[in-house]
Coordinates of all heavy atoms in Angstrom, one line a residue:
A1 N -35.0 30.4 8.5 CA -36.3 29.6 8.2 C -37.1 29.6 9.5 O -38.3 29.8 9.5 CB -36.0 28.3 7.7
A2 N -36.4 29.3 10.6 CA -37.1 29.2 11.9 C -37.7 30.6 12.3 O -38.8 30.7 12.8 CB -36.2 28.7 13.0
Y3 N -36.9 31.6 12.0 CA -37.4 33.0 12.3 C -38.6 33.4 11.5 O -39.5 34.0 12.0 CB -36.2 34.0 12.0 CG -36.5 35.4 12.5 CD1 -36.6 35.7 13.8 CD2 -36.7 36.4 11.5 CE1 -36.9 37.0 14.2 CE2 -36.9 37.7 11.9 CZ -37.0 38.0 13.2 OH -37.3 39.3 13.6
T4 N -38.7 33.0 10.2 CA -39.8 33.3 9.4 C -41.1 32.6 9.9 O -42.2 33.2 9.9 CB -39.6 33.0 7.9 OG1 -39.4 31.6 7.8 CG2 -38.4 33.7 7.3
V5 N -40.9 31.4 10.4 CA -42.1 30.6 11.0 C -42.5 31.4 12.2 O -43.8 31.6 12.4 CB -41.7 29.2 11.3 CG1 -42.8 28.5 12.2 CG2 -41.4 28.4 10.1
Y6 N -41.6 31.9 13.1 CA -41.9 32.6 14.2 C -42.7 33.9 13.9 O -43.8 34.2 14.5 CB -40.6 33.0 15.0 CG -40.7 34.1 15.9 CD1 -41.2 33.9 17.2 CD2 -40.3 35.4 15.6 CE1 -41.3 35.0 18.1 CE2 -40.4 36.5 16.5 CZ -40.9 36.2 17.8 OH -40.9 37.3 18.7
L7 N -42.3 34.6 12.9 CA -43.0 35.8 12.4 C -44.4 35.5 11.9 O -45.3 36.2 12.2 CB -42.1 36.6 11.4 CG -40.9 37.2 11.9 CD1 -40.1 37.8 10.7 CD2 -41.1 38.3 12.9
L8 N -44.5 34.5 11.1 CA -45.8 34.1 10.5 C -46.8 33.7 11.6 O -48.0 34.0 11.5 CB -45.6 33.0 9.5 CG -45.0 33.4 8.2 CD1 -44.6 32.2 7.4 CD2 -45.9 34.3 7.4
E9 N -46.3 33.0 12.7 CA -47.2 32.7 13.7 C -47.7 33.9 14.5 O -48.9 34.0 14.9 CB -46.5 31.7 14.7 CG -46.4 30.3 14.2 CD -47.8 29.7 13.9 OE1 -48.8 29.9 14.7 OE2 -47.9 28.9 13.0
H10 N -46.8 34.9 14.7 CA -47.2 36.1 15.3 C -48.2 36.9 14.4 O -49.1 37.6 14.9 CB -46.0 37.0 15.6 CG -45.3 36.6 16.9 ND1 -45.6 37.3 18.1 CD2 -44.5 35.6 17.3 CE1 -44.9 36.8 19.1 NE2 -44.3 35.7 18.6
R11 N -48.0 36.9 13.1 CA -48.9 37.6 12.2 C -50.3 36.9 12.3 O -51.3 37.6 12.3 CB -48.4 37.5 10.8 CG -49.3 38.2 9.8 CD -48.7 38.1 8.4 NE -49.4 39.0 7.4 CZ -50.5 38.6 6.8 NH1 -51.0 37.3 7.0 NH2 -51.1 39.4 6.0
R12 N -50.3 35.6 12.3 CA -51.6 34.9 12.4 C -52.3 35.2 13.7 O -53.5 35.5 13.7 CB -51.3 33.4 12.3 CG -52.6 32.5 12.5 CD -52.3 31.1 12.3 NE -53.5 30.3 12.6 CZ -53.8 29.2 12.0 NH1 -53.0 28.7 11.1 NH2 -54.9 28.5 12.4
N13 N -51.5 35.3 14.8 CA -52.1 35.7 16.1 C -52.7 37.1 16.1 O -53.8 37.3 16.5 CB -51.1 35.5 17.2 CG -51.7 35.8 18.6 OD1 -51.4 36.9 19.2 ND2 -52.5 35.0 19.1
A14 N -51.9 38.0 15.5 CA -52.4 39.4 15.3 C -53.7 39.5 14.5 O -54.6 40.2 14.8 CB -51.3 40.3 14.8
R15 N -53.7 38.7 13.4 CA -54.9 38.6 12.5 C -56.1 38.1 13.3 O -57.2 38.7 13.2 CB -54.6 37.7 11.4 CG -55.8 37.6 10.4 CD -55.7 36.3 9.6 NE -55.9 35.1 10.5 CZ -55.7 33.8 10.1 NH1 -55.2 33.6 8.8 NH2 -55.9 32.8 10.9
D16 N -56.0 37.0 14.1 CA -57.1 36.5 14.8 C -57.6 37.4 15.9 O -58.8 37.6 16.1 CB -56.7 35.1 15.4 CG -56.4 34.0 14.4 OD1 -56.8 34.2 13.2 OD2 -55.8 33.0 14.8
L17 N -56.7 38.1 16.6 CA -57.1 39.0 17.6 C -57.7 40.3 17.0 O -58.6 40.9 17.6 CB -55.9 39.4 18.5 CG -55.3 38.3 19.3 CD1 -54.0 38.8 20.0 CD2 -56.3 37.9 20.4
W18 N -57.2 40.7 15.8 CA -57.9 41.8 15.1 C -59.3 41.5 14.7 O -60.2 42.3 15.0 CB -57.1 42.1 13.8 CG -57.8 43.0 12.9 CD1 -58.2 44.3 13.1 CD2 -58.2 42.7 11.5 NE1 -58.9 44.8 12.0 CE2 -58.9 43.9 11.0 CE3 -58.1 41.6 10.7 CZ2 -59.4 43.9 9.7 CZ3 -58.6 41.6 9.4 CH2 -59.2 42.8 9.0
I19 N -59.5 40.3 14.2 CA -60.9 39.9 13.9 C -61.8 39.9 15.1 O -62.9 40.4 15.1 CB -60.9 38.5 13.2 CG1 -60.2 38.6 11.8 CG2 -62.3 37.9 13.1 CD1 -59.9 37.2 11.2
E20 N -61.3 39.3 16.2 CA -62.0 39.3 17.5 C -62.4 40.7 18.0 O -63.5 41.0 18.4 CB -61.2 38.6 18.5 CG -61.9 38.5 19.9 CD -61.1 37.8 21.0 OE1 -60.1 37.2 20.6 OE2 -61.5 37.9 22.1
A21 N -61.4 41.6 17.9 CA -61.6 43.0 18.4 C -62.6 43.7 17.5 O -63.5 44.4 18.0 CB -60.3 43.7 18.4
E22 N -62.6 43.5 16.2 CA -63.5 44.1 15.3 C -65.0 43.6 15.6 O -65.9 44.4 15.6 CB -63.2 43.8 13.8 CG -61.9 44.5 13.4 CD -62.0 45.9 13.0 OE1 -63.0 46.6 13.5 OE2 -61.1 46.5 12.3
I23 N -65.1 42.3 15.8 CA -66.5 41.8 16.1 C -66.9 42.3 17.4 O -68.1 42.7 17.6 CB -66.4 40.3 16.0 CG1 -66.2 39.8 14.5 CG2 -67.7 39.7 16.5 CD1 -66.0 38.3 14.4
R24 N -66.1 42.3 18.4 CA -66.5 42.8 19.7 C -66.9 44.3 19.7 O -67.8 44.7 20.4 CB -65.3 42.7 20.7 CG -65.1 41.3 21.2 CD -64.1 41.4 22.4 NE -63.6 40.2 22.9 CZ -62.8 40.0 23.9 NH1 -62.4 41.1 24.6 NH2 -62.4 38.8 24.3
S25 N -66.2 45.0 18.8 CA -66.6 46.5 18.7 C -67.8 46.8 17.9 O -68.2 47.9 17.7 CB -65.4 47.2 18.1 OG -65.2 46.9 16.8
G26 N -68.5 45.7 17.4 CA -69.7 45.9 16.7 C -69.6 46.0 15.2 O -70.6 46.3 14.5
R27 N -68.4 45.7 14.6 CA -68.2 45.8 13.2 C -68.3 44.4 12.5 O -67.6 44.1 11.6 CB -66.8 46.4 12.9 CG -66.7 47.9 13.2 CD -65.3 48.4 13.1 NE -64.7 48.0 11.9 CZ -64.9 48.6 10.7 NH1 -65.7 49.6 10.6 NH2 -64.2 48.2 9.6
H28 N -69.3 43.6 13.0 CA -69.4 42.2 12.5 C -69.8 42.2 11.0 O -69.4 41.4 10.2 CB -70.4 41.4 13.3 CG -71.6 42.1 13.8 ND1 -71.6 42.9 14.9 CD2 -72.8 42.3 13.2 CE1 -72.8 43.4 15.1 NE2 -73.5 43.1 14.0
R29 N -70.7 43.2 10.6 CA -71.2 43.2 9.2 C -70.0 43.6 8.3 O -69.8 43.0 7.2 CB -72.3 44.2 9.1 CG -73.6 43.7 9.6 CD -74.8 44.6 9.4 NE -76.1 44.1 9.9 CZ -76.5 44.3 11.1 NH1 -75.7 44.9 12.0 NH2 -77.6 43.8 11.5
E30 N -69.2 44.6 8.8 CA -68.1 45.0 7.9 C -67.0 43.9 7.8 O -66.3 43.9 6.8 CB -67.4 46.3 8.6 CG -68.3 47.5 8.6 CD -69.2 47.6 9.7 OE1 -69.5 46.6 10.4 OE2 -69.8 48.7 9.9
M31 N -67.0 43.0 8.7 CA -66.0 41.9 8.6 C -66.4 40.7 7.8 O -65.6 39.8 7.5 CB -65.6 41.5 10.1 CG -64.9 42.5 10.9 SD -63.3 43.0 10.2 CE -62.4 41.5 10.3
L32 N -67.6 40.7 7.3 CA -68.1 39.5 6.6 C -67.3 39.3 5.3 O -66.9 38.1 5.0 CB -69.6 39.6 6.3 CG -70.5 39.4 7.5 CD1 -72.0 39.7 7.1 CD2 -70.4 38.0 8.1
G33 N -67.0 40.3 4.6 CA -66.3 40.1 3.3 C -64.9 39.6 3.6 O -64.4 38.8 2.9
V34 N -64.2 40.2 4.6 CA -62.9 39.8 5.0 C -62.9 38.3 5.4 O -62.0 37.5 4.9 CB -62.3 40.6 6.1 CG1 -61.0 40.1 6.7 CG2 -62.2 42.1 5.7
L35 N -63.8 37.9 6.2 CA -63.9 36.6 6.7 C -64.3 35.6 5.6 O -63.7 34.4 5.6 CB -64.9 36.5 7.9 CG -64.4 37.1 9.2 CD1 -65.6 37.3 10.1 CD2 -63.3 36.3 9.8
R36 N -65.1 36.0 4.7 CA -65.5 35.1 3.6 C -64.2 34.8 2.7 O -63.9 33.7 2.3 CB -66.5 35.7 2.7 CG -67.9 35.7 3.3 CD -68.6 34.4 3.2 NE -70.0 34.4 3.4 CZ -70.8 33.4 3.6 NH1 -70.2 32.2 3.7 NH2 -72.1 33.5 3.8
S37 N -63.5 35.9 2.5 CA -62.2 35.8 1.7 C -61.2 34.9 2.4 O -60.6 34.0 1.8 CB -61.7 37.2 1.4 OG -60.4 37.1 0.8
L38 N -61.0 35.1 3.7 CA -60.0 34.3 4.4 C -60.4 32.8 4.5 O -59.6 32.0 4.4 CB -59.9 34.9 5.9 CG -59.1 36.2 6.0 CD1 -59.3 36.8 7.4 CD2 -57.7 36.0 5.6
T39 N -61.7 32.5 4.7 CA -62.1 31.1 4.8 C -62.1 30.4 3.5 O -61.8 29.2 3.4 CB -63.5 31.0 5.4 OG1 -64.4 31.8 4.7 CG2 -63.5 31.4 6.9
T40 N -62.3 31.2 2.4 CA -62.1 30.6 1.1 C -60.7 30.2 0.8 O -60.4 29.2 0.2 CB -62.6 31.6 0.0 OG1 -64.0 31.9 0.2 CG2 -62.4 31.0 -1.4
A41 N -59.8 31.1 1.2 CA -58.3 30.8 1.0 C -57.8 29.8 2.0 O -56.8 29.1 1.7 CB -57.5 32.1 1.2
N42 N -58.5 29.6 3.2 CA -58.0 28.7 4.2 C -59.2 27.8 4.6 O -59.7 28.0 5.7 CB -57.4 29.4 5.4 CG -56.3 30.4 5.0 OD1 -55.2 30.0 4.9 ND2 -56.7 31.6 4.8
P43 N -59.7 26.9 3.8 CA -61.0 26.3 4.0 C -61.0 25.4 5.2 O -62.1 25.1 5.7 CB -61.2 25.5 2.7 CG -59.8 25.3 2.1 CD -59.1 26.5 2.5

């Protein structure tokens, strides 16, 4: 159970850094749908 929490936190960190990298690289418009979906699921 502790190991799954560890993995999920790493996945969340990778997701957040992926979003940051995509926006930095100029793909902000392409990320809008992804971000809308994620914020709807995690309000």
Side-chain angles (χ1 to χ4, degrees):
Y3 185 70
T4 62
V5 171
Y6 162 81
L7 289 177
L8 287 169
E9 284 298 325
H10 274 261
R11 182 179 186 274
R12 176 175 174 148
N13 181 253
R15 180 204 67 189
D16 292 347
L17 291 174
W18 166 61
I19 292 168
E20 179 182 349
E22 293 282 19
I23 292 175
R24 281 193 191 182
S25 67
R27 288 174 47 83
H28 41 274
R29 288 184 177 83
E30 292 84 348
M31 292 300 293
L32 286 174
V34 173
L35 289 165
R36 287 287 197 192
S37 175
L38 286 170
T39 53
T40 299
N42 305 274

